[in-house]
Amino acid sequence: MTSVGHLEAPGDSSGEGPAGSITYLEAIRSALFDAMREDDRVFLLGEDIGAFGGAFGVTAGLLDEFGEARVIDTPIAEEGFVGAAIGAAWVGERPVVELQFADFITCPFDQIVTLAAKTHWRSGQQIPITIRCPTGGGVRGGPFHAGSPEGWFVGTAGLKVVCPGTVEDAYGLLRAAIDDPDPVLFFEHKRLYRSLRGAAPAVGSRTPIGPARVAREGCDATVVTYGSGVTTALAAAEQLDADVEVVDLRTVWPLDEETVLSSIEKTSRVLVLQEAARSIGAAGLILSLIARRSFEHLDAPPALLAPPDTPVPFAPELEDSYMPSVETTIAAVERLLAY
Amino acid sequence: MTSVGHLEAPGDSSGEGPAGSITYLEAIRSALFDAMREDDRVFLLGEDIGAFGGAFGVTAGLLDEFGEARVIDTPIAEEGFVGAAIGAAWVGERPVVELQFADFITCPFDQIVTLAAKTHWRSGQQIPITIRCPTGGGVRGGPFHAGSPEGWFVGTAGLKVVCPGTVEDAYGLLRAAIDDPDPVLFFEHKRLYRSLRGAAPAVGSRTPIGPARVAREGCDATVVTYGSGVTTALAAAEQLDADVEVVDLRTVWPLDEETVLSSIEKTSRVLVLQEAARSIGAAGLILSLIARRSFEHLDAPPALLAPPDTPVPFAPELEDSYMPSVETTIAAVERLLAY
Amino acid sequence: MPIEPCAETPSIAPAERLALFRLVLLQRIFEDRVLALYRQGRVPGSVYTGRGQEAVAAGAGLALGPDDVVAPLNRELATHFARGATTADVFRNFFGKATSPTFGRDGNMHFGQPEHGVFPLVSMLGDLVPVVAGAALAFKRRGERRVAMTFLGEGAFSVGDTHEGLNLAAVWQVPAVFVIQSNRFSYSTPVNRQMVNTNIAQRIYGGWSIPAERVDGTDALAVLDTVRAAVERARNGNGPQAVEALSVRMHGHAAHDDARYMPAGMREEFAERFDPIERLAARLALDGHGAEAIAGVREAAADEVADGLAEAEQAPAADPATIEHGVYAAPPFPDT
Amino acid sequence: MPIEPCAETPSIAPAERLALFRLVLLQRIFEDRVLALYRQGRVPGSVYTGRGQEAVAAGAGLALGPDDVVAPLNRELATHFARGATTADVFRNFFGKATSPTFGRDGNMHFGQPEHGVFPLVSMLGDLVPVVAGAALAFKRRGERRVAMTFLGEGAFSVGDTHEGLNLAAVWQVPAVFVIQSNRFSYSTPVNRQMVNTNIAQRIYGGWSIPAERVDGTDALAVLDTVRAAVERARNGNGPQAVEALSVRMHGHAAHDDARYMPAGMREEFAERFDPIERLAARLALDGHGAEAIAGVREAAADEVADGLAEAEQAPAADPATIEHGVYAAPPFPDT
Ligand SMILES: Cc1ncc(C[n+]2csc(CCOP(=O)(O)OP(=O)(O)O)c2C)c(N)n1
Ligand SMILES: Cc1ncc(C[n+]2csc(CCOP(=O)(O)OP(=O)(O)O)c2C)c(N)n1
Ligand SMILES: [Mg+2]
Ligand SMILES: [Mg+2]
């Protein structure tokens, strides 16, 4: 275990990875760096993101590179600086906001769902903002520092919600989010920051917002997942005897319905896996789709693997049993296959 | 059309209804009145609720009856007075908050999902508050005065979400909400305020929080709905040739899974009907349940009737076509039966 | 009591005095017309007016330069006109026409025209305070000599977003101007139930260190003069500025509200002596404009309103088939 | 520079002076111990301390009467002890034990004990300001002579909820007391990037008309004296009160943060002269307590911490099977 900000996380932050590989965190920083270098309209707002580099070190070095007019430390005022980002976007900027923890998105909620989400539809005024949200558990963060709040925004017209599950998408989705003329919530997973490594994405590469990706092909069952679920599902698939397809949603809202449906058409069995508690997150949206549109293709009832309906608990024993794991994913797929 | 606050709504506010009948609005007022008379701990907080009687007149007369210490006009500060209600509940009160419009629940969102929802689970401290939210459309309110925001809370552990669809439940669920030791969001429908009449509920009657109600028995198909959908579904059922069962959820979260599932077991066909846009509201939760648990009982894919994924539009032509109606409900059930 | 003419205010040039008169008249006549239409059932939803506050809307609106931006609320119809909205534009919004600034998706004063540098109002009070702080931040960052303005009532002042937005503007020292519409009430709630010290200018300076002045909000010349000075201070790098304009809300909160909670006679007495339209008319007469010239401006404004109404009535109704267009500027799945 | 003893403050009785000493010691020794455990990997998550601010936590905590209520934040461990928390209670929370105040569901300082009139901290800064305003409203409504208190740092002062809560307390004139922990930083952000006028007492009075005093937050006697006076003013119907306590955050924001963004030497110089523990110890010596007596209090506190740790280590681990218990006080479907 190393530390991520003031929390714990798996991963080796000191050592170098394989040549050419970078961490998920570095991919995010690179995306910010490249976007800022290419486009003067891009600037950063957030608490402690300047000299300190942000609670998780994501913006480390950016102040030195781009100066105080582009890396702006804010007072503790999430409603205020999300609103300010919206105002800056109104007059042509491309602000990127960092929330210190995704959990604090409850504070600027109104600014997001009222101003950011509804303005284009009712006026034609674009609001191109990106809100970066360090999300998720497995870091002993407890009820206020380990949540997966994306579900509150899934379904809200006018917002886009992306949840990168790979190094490539951490870079590519962030670049696409910053390009995008609509407000994008970017949920970057804290536990992956330093634990996930991958080949350094090509400078300027984009992961388009919208399309899901078949992360692994298979014909026996589909696991639909996103964010931290991607590595879990892929690891489980490797260990399963069956031939499991993994759909990484990448963009959770709006949902790429066709990719989900066509995978199920092929496999006839589906497990939805998410880190958010079972009655929040994206599960409702996905299972609603499956219920209505996959009826004729299913050989078993769709399954859901997600934590129980509680906040994220703090104690290691509790958190470890709360979070979906490779083992529980394997077991869930096996139950699905046995139906 | 008469006016409801500064909006329009169907109903005859001047005329008297049949003897012994009262409006949905009067039922709410009676529930407040009776609860306050019986229990000194009950007091009201909200904007313009005192001498003015609230934007919709729900609290008219209560100031005169109970005085300024129990009917408290607030500054415009939803985060503040929801927080204050939580604080009062902490020291033993039973505060009832009125939001001027349900739409403004985006402002105290954090207080609700952070403080109200999580406190009991993580400390044992009860937070018995009721938040009354005048909800819904059909009143020419547009994107900020006609929304159905209950979906943002459906699924959030620690909250209870109730949506009365009848005069009886307007009274009985509000009494139960005020009794309840947990935070309850009470979504009262603006369009029903003066348009819906019913027998005056017995003083002190309660509709328990949790259980759904089979509002109409039938064996050909089930319509699962809540709030404004109840009258719509019942009217549609009357006009349909088939024998349609209507399940009125009453409490939308936590969901009464057994009532939904056993109705579907009987009918094998289900339509979920809601006024909230299709990707928000309670549809995801309900269809997730159905997908996972009704698989073996369905003769047709479950159907969803709900507005498109946009805010509620203002123009009459737009709003009328946006909202589910008796006609569109009939058509949806017919499609379901024809499958 | 006779009407009190606006103070002389020689700093405001003759053409601007007439421009102000047109603006306050447009707001008054438009609102009277739309209220009448509402009572006839020809306007859906609700109608909010700014009667008694027209001088603030007009004066603050004219104080802005062409490249400045503004986020008005419900009481600032004249600000929209100052920025270039036509009476037809606004009528279309009240009617919910397909070609309204909100495409029929929103009504009454809930609109804004980005092409005129006007942010579309959202109802949630306080939300727009940080928005203009952010626009002003962008101007500062880019070295542009532009200013961002918004308005807020006493009630909106109690909202958390207002605090956060004022503080950001102050800490960042950005060219934002906050115009406080102190009209004594928030819906039915008198200002002394909204805050302890009802001198909001004092509060803004004491709480947020933003320079703040009070001005008579029924004197259009004084408002223009004072707000312009604030705008220019902001433009010249002196950080955010505030002006508290004192007036009275002469109507209820919205069309349905008869405001019987206001002290008896208050509005009548106010109207007699401080009606902002008549105060300006009286000053124009003192300036030397003959009765006929003044009547001419009144008539021209009435015509502008009548013409806008006629034009708006012809506009096409909104089409439900297009309801999902524009939810996204870049729809991820355009075909579905 | 030698340590500066606390001011004489004769109004604080001998027994209270010793009670304060115990409290500041408990916080210091507990926090040192828990930091060491954290560095050994024996405490999960994170550790926030209040080093340098113990006098505020202790003084404000002791200023409360037995029926008063309080909502402390991260830096106020001594307040919990003042209210009756045991060191074992708090260790259990840091460890996440089944019998912790949060049942292992939350950690570190994120707890509160309703049985001691202490509201469980939530992380979202500003949230607790309206909460105490509401508790105070209840006291006023019921005619109870009780007071509700909370703390906030400079950063928390920038949050919208803080504004709404202060304003409600002021408009309602309820017995709430706000203790501002001015420790110069908010995480890495110095106070002058948080607000323009860094005299928060002035801001509170100027912005919200709440009487506010500044006090030396490293002098436990002065804190107790000043906060007690504020508490009693509130209790006696004089409305909300505020005290701004000036200190320095001697540690980083949390255990992982070495605070290298603080000016070099600042903390060392501060510690040398203003360490709140040693300031009080020096005053106790001047009061006539011998070195041995003072060492005795230190040892007793150390024992209390050691005993609490030993006890907490024995506590049972949290049981995942019970995770869903208590989501609701009244579960709607208890059997499922
Ligand atoms: C956050 C929020 N809460 C409540 C409302 C409902 N509301 C609309 S206007 C109004 C009164 C506003 O008073 P004030 O700010 O003084 O402005 P005025 O109407 O006097 O111009 C209220 C309560 C709202 N729009 N937003
Ligand atoms: C709404 C919100 N935003 C961000 C945070 C993250 N955070 C926790 S403590 C802290 C700094 C607080 O500074 P201050 O209020 O001065 O208190 P101090 O830490 O100095 O005691 C921050 C930014 C939070 N807890 N809540
Ligand atoms: Mg007002
Ligand atoms: Mg601080």
Side-chain angles (χ1 to χ4, degrees):
Chain A
M1 293 294 245
T2 65
S3 79
V4 179
H6 47 299
L7 299 171
E8 296 169 21
D12 175 9
S13 62
S14 53
E16 292 282 302
S21 88
I22 62 170
T23 63
Y24 182 90
L25 183 150
E26 287 162 343
I28 294 168
R29 185 191 296 140
S30 298
L32 293 172
F33 186 94
D34 294 346
M36 292 177 80
R37 210 185 28 197
E38 285 175 27
D39 186 348
D40 276 344
R41 299 172 306 172
V42 180
F43 72 96
L44 313 184
L45 281 171
E47 292 154 7
D48 308 293
I49 61 169
F52 192 66
F56 298 99
V58 175
T59 56
L62 297 179
L63 175 68
D64 286 346
E65 186 68 27
F66 297 105
E68 294 216 334
R70 299 189 65 194
V71 183
I72 303 177
D73 273 335
T74 62
I76 302 178
E78 283 81 3
E79 303 169 2
F81 60 77
V82 169
I86 291 167
W90 166 32
V91 298
E93 305 283 26
R94 299 262 162 174
V96 180
V97 170
E98 173 175 305
L99 297 179
Q100 204 154 74
F101 284 80
D103 307 72
F104 302 140
I105 203 163
T106 54
C107 301
F109 187 79
D110 172 56
Q111 292 279 350
I112 296 171
V113 302
T114 298
L115 270 165
K118 293 181 179 173
T119 294
H120 186 262
W121 180 78
R122 57 187 282 286
S123 75
Q125 173 64 52
Q126 298 181 359
I127 306 291
I129 62 168
T130 302
I131 303 183
R132 293 181 34 240
C133 311
T135 198
V139 296
R140 313 311 181 208
F144 306 116
H145 293 80
S148 291
E150 68 279 1
W152 282 319
F153 306 94
V154 165
T156 295
L159 300 178
K160 294 172 176 172
V161 180
V162 303
C163 298
T166 63
V167 170
E168 185 191 343
D169 287 349
Y171 183 91
L173 280 172
L174 185 49
R175 293 302 308 268
I178 297 172
D179 291 343
D180 202 273
D182 294 310
V184 181
L185 306 183
F186 183 87
F187 286 91
E188 50 191 64
H189 203 289
K190 295 191 284 294
R191 192 166 49 72
L192 303 183
Y193 270 152
R194 298 190 149 87
S195 68
L196 193 65
R197 302 191 71 93
V203 171
S205 61
R206 306 288 197 274
T207 302
I209 292 184
R213 169 180 79 105
V214 177
R216 183 184 198 277
E217 304 235 11
C219 56
D220 293 336
T222 299
V223 180
V224 178
T225 191
Y226 61 94
S228 68
V230 177
T231 44
T232 310
L234 289 172
E238 286 307 313
Q239 295 179 38
L240 277 154
D241 274 342
D243 194 12
V244 173
E245 178 143 316
V246 175
V247 174
D248 169 4
L249 292 176
R250 293 173 150 174
T251 295
V252 171
W253 170 253
L255 186 62
D256 180 352
E257 303 190 339
E258 292 318 315
T259 300
V260 172
L261 295 175
S262 54
S263 177
I264 296 172
E265 237 171 271
K266 180 169 72 172
T267 63
S268 303
R269 287 168 203 268
V270 61
L271 170 72
V272 176
L273 165 67
Q274 68 178 16
E275 181 179 322
R278 56 193 296 109
S279 298
I280 57 171
L285 186 78
I286 302 166
L287 286 162
S288 164
L289 172 76
I290 293 170
R292 291 177 290 111
R293 307 267 306 275
S294 296
F295 182 74
E296 296 178 345
H297 301 288
L298 285 169
D299 288 343
L304 170 61
L305 180 62
D309 284 320
T310 74
V312 181
F314 164 76
E317 305 82 338
L318 299 182
E319 192 182 29
D320 289 343
S321 109
Y322 179 87
M323 291 292 166
S325 64
V326 174
E327 293 68 42
T328 56
T329 305
I330 290 172
V333 175
E334 280 170 349
R335 275 195 306 277
L336 184 66
L337 292 168
Y339 181 89
Chain B
M1 292 294 246
T2 66
S3 79
V4 178
H6 47 298
L7 298 172
E8 296 168 22
D12 175 11
S13 63
S14 53
E16 292 283 302
S21 88
I22 63 170
T23 63
Y24 182 91
L25 184 150
E26 287 162 344
I28 295 167
R29 187 190 296 141
S30 299
L32 293 173
F33 186 93
D34 294 347
M36 292 177 81
R37 210 184 29 200
E38 286 175 26
D39 186 347
D40 276 344
R41 300 172 304 171
V42 179
F43 73 97
L44 314 184
L45 281 170
E47 292 155 7
D48 308 293
I49 62 170
F52 192 67
F56 299 98
V58 175
T59 58
L62 297 178
L63 176 69
D64 286 346
E65 187 66 28
F66 297 104
E68 293 216 336
R70 299 189 66 194
V71 183
I72 302 177
D73 273 334
T74 63
I76 303 178
E78 283 80 2
E79 302 168 4
F81 60 77
V82 169
I86 292 167
W90 166 31
V91 298
E93 306 282 28
R94 298 261 163 178
V96 181
V97 170
E98 173 176 305
L99 297 180
Q100 205 155 72
F101 285 80
D103 307 72
F104 301 140
I105 204 163
T106 53
C107 301
F109 187 80
D110 173 55
Q111 293 278 351
I112 296 170
V113 302
T114 298
L115 271 164
K118 294 181 178 174
T119 295
H120 186 262
W121 181 78
R122 57 188 282 286
S123 74
Q125 172 65 52
Q126 298 181 358
I127 306 290
I129 62 168
T130 302
I131 304 183
R132 293 181 35 240
C133 311
T135 198
V139 296
R140 313 309 182 209
F144 307 115
H145 294 79
S148 291
E150 69 278 2
W152 282 318
F153 307 95
V154 165
T156 295
L159 300 178
K160 294 171 176 173
V161 180
V162 303
C163 298
T166 63
V167 170
E168 185 191 345
D169 287 349
Y171 183 91
L173 281 173
L174 185 51
R175 293 302 308 267
I178 296 172
D179 290 345
D180 203 273
D182 295 309
V184 182
L185 307 183
F186 183 87
F187 286 91
E188 49 192 65
H189 203 287
K190 295 191 285 292
R191 193 165 49 74
L192 303 182
Y193 270 152
R194 299 189 148 87
S195 67
L196 192 66
R197 300 193 71 94
V203 171
S205 61
R206 304 289 198 272
T207 302
I209 291 183
R213 168 181 79 106
V214 176
R216 183 184 199 278
E217 304 236 13
C219 55
D220 293 337
T222 299
V223 180
V224 177
T225 190
Y226 61 95
S228 68
V230 177
T231 44
T232 309
L234 289 172
E238 285 308 313
Q239 295 178 39
L240 277 154
D241 274 342
D243 195 11
V244 174
E245 178 143 314
V246 175
V247 174
D248 170 3
L249 292 176
R250 291 173 151 174
T251 295
V252 172
W253 170 251
L255 185 63
D256 180 352
E257 302 190 340
E258 292 318 315
T259 302
V260 172
L261 294 175
S262 54
S263 177
I264 296 172
E265 240 173 87
K266 181 169 72 172
T267 64
S268 304
R269 287 169 203 268
V270 61
L271 170 73
V272 175
L273 166 67
Q274 68 177 17
E275 183 180 320
R278 54 194 297 111
S279 298
I280 57 172
L285 187 77
I286 302 166
L287 286 163
S288 164
L289 172 75
I290 294 170
R292 291 176 291 111
R293 307 267 306 275
S294 296
F295 182 74
E296 296 178 343
H297 301 288
L298 286 169
D299 288 344
L304 170 61
L305 180 63
D309 284 320
T310 74
V312 181
F314 164 76
E317 305 83 336
L318 298 182
E319 192 182 29
D320 289 343
S321 107
Y322 179 89
M323 291 291 166
S325 64
V326 175
E327 293 69 42
T328 55
T329 305
I330 291 172
V333 175
E334 281 171 348
R335 272 194 308 275
L336 184 65
L337 292 168
Y339 182 90
Chain C
M1 295 280 271
I3 193 82
E4 179 95 35
C6 288
E8 194 176 343
T9 328
S11 54
I12 309 296
E16 283 190 319
R17 299 164 97 90
L18 288 172
L20 276 176
F21 193 46
R22 169 180 164 262
L23 288 174
V24 294
L25 283 167
L26 278 184
Q27 176 161 356
R28 176 67 57 87
I29 300 169
F30 184 102
E31 289 181 351
D32 282 350
R33 194 78 192 88
V34 91
L35 260 181
L37 292 167
Y38 178 75
R39 302 232 151 87
Q40 293 160 17
R42 291 168 63 197
V43 168
S46 57
V47 168
Y48 313 88
T49 72
R51 194 183 188 90
Q53 304 175 239
E54 297 92 341
V56 185
L62 269 196
L64 293 168
D67 294 331
D68 295 337
V69 298
V70 61
L73 302 186
N74 270 329
R75 314 284 177 211
E76 288 89 23
L77 178 53
T79 308
H80 288 278
F81 294 137
R83 298 304 297 173
T86 67
T87 53
D89 290 340
V90 187
F91 274 121
R92 279 194 293 265
N93 209 64
F94 273 87
F95 289 139
K97 297 289 198 173
T99 51
S100 88
T102 59
F103 324 118
R105 291 165 179 186
D106 211 336
N108 54 65
M109 294 296 296
H110 295 129
F111 74 99
Q113 294 170 294
E115 66 274 26
H116 297 315
V118 180
F119 195 85
L121 179 157
V122 298
S123 288
M124 284 60 180
L125 293 168
D127 273 21
L128 297 170
V129 178
V131 169
V132 300
L137 174 68
F139 297 154
K140 178 175 178 178
R141 224 174 73 67
R142 301 192 298 225
E144 294 173 0
R145 287 174 48 77
R146 297 165 68 187
V147 170
M149 176 188 282
T150 191
F151 296 81
L152 51 162
E154 306 97 323
F157 204 84
S158 301
V159 178
D161 299 66
T162 298
H163 168 54
E164 296 196 8
L166 291 178
N167 189 48
L168 291 180
V171 170
W172 291 336
Q173 288 290 300
V174 294
V177 175
F178 304 101
V179 179
I180 313 301
Q181 286 269 23
S182 279
N183 63 5
R184 305 196 195 174
F185 281 84
S186 303
Y187 210 146
S188 76
T189 305
V191 60
N192 65 344
R193 304 196 74 156
Q194 198 71 240
M195 62 192 72
V196 174
N197 178 7
T198 59
N199 184 322
I200 297 181
Q202 277 177 2
R203 293 186 65 199
I204 292 184
Y205 187 71
W208 294 270
S209 306
I210 295 177
E213 276 184 86
R214 279 188 142 183
V215 69
D216 179 343
T218 64
D219 179 336
L221 299 174
V223 171
L224 173 52
D225 204 39
T226 305
V227 177
R228 175 174 287 159
V231 166
E232 295 313 317
R233 282 195 304 275
R235 196 187 307 288
N236 290 324
N238 297 300
Q241 307 289 325
V243 175
E244 181 185 11
L246 305 178
S247 67
V248 164
R249 198 191 72 204
M250 286 171 68
H251 279 156
H253 173 59
H256 73 288
D257 170 17
D258 62 9
R260 78 183 79 172
Y261 45 79
M262 287 193 183
M266 183 184 92
R267 285 178 288 164
E268 293 69 15
E269 280 162 38
F270 171 82
E272 210 177 290
R273 191 142 171 234
F274 296 112
D275 182 302
I277 317 290
E278 300 314 321
R279 288 195 71 184
L280 184 52
R283 170 53 57 192
L284 290 175
L286 294 174
D287 282 355
H289 293 279
E292 217 163 298
I294 292 175
V297 184
R298 290 188 199 263
E299 264 164 52
D303 288 347
E304 230 180 300
V305 172
D307 292 349
L309 175 56
E311 188 185 330
E313 280 174 328
Q314 303 306 315
D319 175 5
T322 64
I323 189 81
E324 290 183 82
H325 296 181
V327 166
Y328 296 99
F333 307 103
D335 302 320
T336 48
Chain D
M1 295 279 272
I3 194 82
E4 179 94 35
C6 289
E8 193 177 343
T9 328
S11 54
I12 308 297
E16 283 190 320
R17 298 165 97 89
L18 287 171
L20 276 176
F21 194 44
R22 170 180 164 263
L23 288 174
V24 294
L25 283 167
L26 278 183
Q27 175 162 355
R28 175 67 57 89
I29 299 169
F30 184 102
E31 290 181 349
D32 282 349
R33 193 81 192 86
V34 92
L35 259 181
L37 292 166
Y38 178 75
R39 301 235 150 86
Q40 293 160 16
R42 290 168 63 198
V43 168
S46 57
V47 168
Y48 312 87
T49 74
R51 193 183 188 92
Q53 304 175 236
E54 297 92 341
V56 185
L62 269 196
L64 292 168
D67 294 332
D68 295 337
V69 298
V70 62
L73 302 186
N74 271 329
R75 315 282 178 213
E76 287 89 24
L77 178 53
T79 308
H80 288 277
F81 293 136
R83 299 304 298 174
T86 67
T87 53
D89 290 340
V90 188
F91 275 121
R92 280 194 291 266
N93 210 64
F94 273 86
F95 290 139
K97 296 290 197 173
T99 51
S100 88
T102 59
F103 324 117
R105 291 165 179 187
D106 212 335
N108 52 66
M109 294 296 295
H110 295 130
F111 75 99
Q113 293 171 296
E115 66 274 26
H116 296 316
V118 180
F119 195 86
L121 178 157
V122 297
S123 287
M124 284 61 180
L125 292 168
D127 273 20
L128 296 169
V129 179
V131 169
V132 300
L137 173 70
F139 298 154
K140 177 174 177 176
R141 225 173 73 68
R142 302 191 298 226
E144 295 172 0
R145 287 174 49 76
R146 296 166 68 188
V147 171
M149 176 189 284
T150 192
F151 296 82
L152 51 161
E154 306 97 323
F157 203 85
S158 301
V159 178
D161 299 67
T162 298
H163 167 55
E164 297 195 8
L166 291 177
N167 189 49
L168 290 179
V171 170
W172 291 335
Q173 287 291 298
V174 293
V177 175
F178 304 101
V179 179
I180 314 300
Q181 286 269 24
S182 280
N183 63 3
R184 306 197 195 173
F185 281 85
S186 304
Y187 210 148
S188 76
T189 305
V191 61
N192 67 344
R193 304 195 74 155
Q194 198 70 240
M195 61 193 70
V196 174
N197 178 7
T198 59
N199 184 320
I200 297 181
Q202 278 178 0
R203 292 186 65 197
I204 292 183
Y205 186 72
W208 293 272
S209 305
I210 296 178
E213 276 184 87
R214 281 188 140 182
V215 69
D216 180 343
T218 63
D219 179 335
L221 300 173
V223 171
L224 173 52
D225 203 40
T226 305
V227 177
R228 176 175 287 160
V231 165
E232 295 313 316
R233 282 195 305 274
R235 194 187 309 288
N236 291 325
N238 297 300
Q241 308 289 325
V243 175
E244 182 185 10
L246 305 178
S247 67
V248 164
R249 199 191 72 206
M250 285 171 70
H251 279 155
H253 173 61
H256 72 290
D257 171 16
D258 61 10
R260 77 183 80 170
Y261 46 80
M262 288 191 181
M266 184 184 92
R267 286 179 288 164
E268 292 70 15
E269 281 162 37
F270 171 83
E272 209 177 290
R273 192 145 169 232
F274 297 113
D275 182 303
I277 318 291
E278 300 315 322
R279 290 196 69 184
L280 184 52
R283 170 54 57 193
L284 290 174
L286 294 174
D287 284 355
H289 294 279
E292 219 163 295
I294 292 175
V297 184
R298 290 188 199 262
E299 264 164 50
D303 288 348
E304 229 180 302
V305 171
D307 293 349
L309 174 57
E311 188 184 332
E313 281 174 326
Q314 304 306 315
D319 175 4
T322 64
I323 189 81
E324 291 182 81
H325 296 180
V327 167
Y328 296 99
F333 306 104
D335 303 319
T336 49

